[in-house]
Amino acid sequence: MCRIWMYLFSTVGVLFTPGMYHVVAIEVFTSKEATAVNGTSVHLKCTFKSTKPVSEKSASVAWSFRSTGQIKEENFFFYQEIAYPPQEGRFKDHVTWSGNMLKNDASITLQDVQFSFNGTYSCQVRNAPDVHGFAGEIHLQVVQSVKLSEMGILAAAVGGAILLVLLILSIFLTVRYCRRKHEDTGMELERSEWKQPGVL
């Protein structure tokens, strides 16, 4: 926590330093939407562009969450030199750092996602003196999982039904073909006997 407060105070100091006539804005890039199956992991990608050299000490990232239909944001992850994952709340033991600040990557991974994770995630990056800029936002939708066994049973049932229909259709066509062939052969024999003169 001390490191976080030191960073906040240093940021304020940069903003009000005499001779600082303009502030450079940092650019943050994220995908607009992401989908994850309940119980799986999802990678929330966040990259950034800064006009200043990036180092582990100068750069930091903060992730926040806003639940669907809510206005209040919840700060749950911070990174500067090391990761500060949440120690309580819905995201405890669910967030891992998967970025690399030296490669302009501020991504995280949510593990074992729950339906309560539905909402908007904001990625805010700082790289002093690049301390201003818009946060990147990702809307995450968590969907119902389908067990592999259920998928296997469904696939087997559909596949079995199709094979059964094809088998019945093949038998029907084969029988019909054989009957027609037999009838055509019988008619040809009758015609040949009728045309040939009888032997006394």
Side-chain angles (χ1 to χ4, degrees):
M1 290 299 296
C2 292
R3 186 184 298 275
I4 296 175
W5 285 112
M6 289 175 62
Y7 172 75
L8 291 175
F9 283 122
S10 65
T11 301
V12 173
V14 169
L15 290 174
F16 293 97
T17 300
M20 193 73 170
Y21 296 104
H22 69 280
V23 178
V24 181
I26 194 167
E27 294 181 81
V28 180
F29 309 95
T30 59
S31 57
K32 292 183 179 180
E33 296 183 351
T35 303
V37 176
N38 179 39
T40 63
S41 298
V42 61
H43 182 73
L44 300 182
K45 188 173 183 179
C46 175
T47 58
F48 63 94
K49 182 179 180 181
S50 176
T51 59
K52 301 299 179 181
V54 178
S55 70
E56 287 284 348
K57 290 185 177 180
S58 66
S60 65
V61 59
W63 280 88
S64 60
F65 169 75
R66 185 175 70 254
S67 183
T68 301
Q70 300 296 319
I71 300 177
K72 185 178 178 181
E73 285 194 346
E74 168 189 347
N75 297 315
F76 67 93
F77 185 88
F78 184 81
Y79 181 92
Q80 186 175 24
E81 294 189 74
I82 62 172
Y84 295 89
Q87 301 299 312
E88 59 183 12
R90 80 181 81 197
F91 295 108
K92 182 181 179 182
D93 300 325
H94 289 280
V95 188
T96 57
W97 172 250
S98 54
N100 185 334
M101 296 302 278
L102 299 181
K103 293 183 178 180
N104 294 7
D105 188 351
S107 306
I108 59 173
T109 298
L110 298 181
Q111 299 175 327
D112 187 22
V113 297
Q114 307 296 311
F115 288 114
S116 60
F117 292 5
N118 273 305
T120 302
Y121 294 78
S122 297
C123 173
Q124 186 77 57
V125 182
R126 297 284 184 263
N127 182 45
D130 284 0
V131 293
H132 276 255
F134 295 101
E137 292 190 345
I138 305 173
H139 178 71
L140 176 65
Q141 181 180 11
V142 182
V143 298
Q144 178 65 48
S145 63
V146 179
K147 294 182 179 179
L148 185 61
S149 59
E150 294 176 352
M151 291 179 65
I153 293 172
L154 180 61
V158 173
I162 292 174
L163 287 175
L164 182 61
V165 170
L166 290 175
L167 180 62
I168 294 173
L169 184 61
S170 298
I171 293 173
F172 173 77
L173 292 175
T174 303
V175 171
R176 187 174 179 182
Y177 174 78
C178 291
R179 283 183 177 176
R180 181 171 292 180
K181 188 75 175 177
H182 181 71
E183 290 176 356
D184 290 345
T185 303
M187 291 179 66
E188 288 180 1
L189 288 173
E190 289 179 0
R191 287 177 182 175
S192 63
E193 290 177 356
W194 181 76
K195 287 183 180 180
Q196 292 178 359
V199 180
L200 295 176

